[in-house]
Amino acid sequence: ITFPFLDDGIATDAIGRPRFYLNTAHQEHDTLFAAGLIQANGSIWRLADYQGAIIANAIIAAAKAPREWAAFKTRRSSGENGMPKGSFVASDRHKLEANYTDYRRALMRQIKAFGAVRKMTLTPVAARPDIGEKPVYRLPEQRHETSRPIAAE
């Protein structure tokens, strides 16, 4: 698995496994998320939707719910990737493999762990639609020396 817009070692470990909790939230970088980083024995559309719910809840928790954010960061940074254990072939092709039912259950547990955050929303802190300006949402600042800007096309 490669991520051409990230330096080597940020998204994957030395043997190429994703460094994302539940293949969704980076274990070290608070603002790095992924959706669809999974290969399951079934459709990933619903799983990607659940991953998106985790991403949205994490962003909202970071901005509005410090206790839930701290709990999520602890789970995410524990060193375990949170992925259900399975018996898959040890090959590059199977690095993202997961059992659909077990993985869905793990995602749902994480979503439920956000508690009241699931009903919260973010409101823009600044927006000028009259001049075409889009809403701005403020999150805790975090700068990564190892991240590379994406080249404009």
Side-chain angles (χ1 to χ4, degrees):
I1 301 167
T2 61
F3 298 85
F5 47 89
L6 294 173
D7 286 339
D8 293 339
I10 290 181
T12 57
D13 63 16
I15 60 172
R17 289 179 306 206
R19 295 181 62 211
F20 290 82
Y21 172 68
L22 292 172
N23 284 12
T24 303
H26 195 276
Q27 293 177 326
E28 296 170 14
H29 300 290
D30 292 345
T31 57
L32 182 56
F33 299 94
L37 191 59
I38 189 71
Q39 180 176 330
N41 56 342
S43 172
I44 73 156
W45 291 108
R46 178 67 64 188
L47 298 176
D49 183 54
Y50 294 142
Q51 288 175 324
I54 289 172
I55 294 166
N57 284 311
I59 291 169
I60 292 168
K64 297 176 89 172
R67 190 179 73 230
E68 288 83 354
W69 174 240
F72 176 69
K73 283 180 68 169
T74 298
R75 280 189 300 277
R76 181 200 73 186
S77 305
S78 70
E80 289 292 318
N81 65 5
M83 294 295 291
K85 305 296 181 235
S87 56
F88 302 106
V89 177
S91 71
D92 287 344
R93 179 174 174 240
H94 293 90
K95 283 195 168 88
L96 299 177
E97 194 74 28
N99 176 280
Y100 181 94
T101 306
D102 295 341
Y103 184 58
R104 178 186 177 281
R105 192 175 300 121
L107 293 173
M108 294 305 294
R109 268 195 305 269
Q110 177 53 61
I111 291 168
K112 287 178 184 172
F114 278 112
V117 172
R118 295 179 295 160
K119 296 189 186 291
M120 294 179 183
T121 59
L122 283 181
T123 53
V125 292
R128 296 276 317 274
D130 56 314
I131 60 171
E133 190 174 275
K134 295 186 176 168
V136 176
Y137 300 91
R138 285 218 180 13
L139 294 177
E141 290 288 324
Q142 184 178 16
R143 191 81 174 104
H144 308 291
E145 299 84 37
T146 56
S147 59
R148 290 184 267 182
I150 297 174
E153 294 186 23

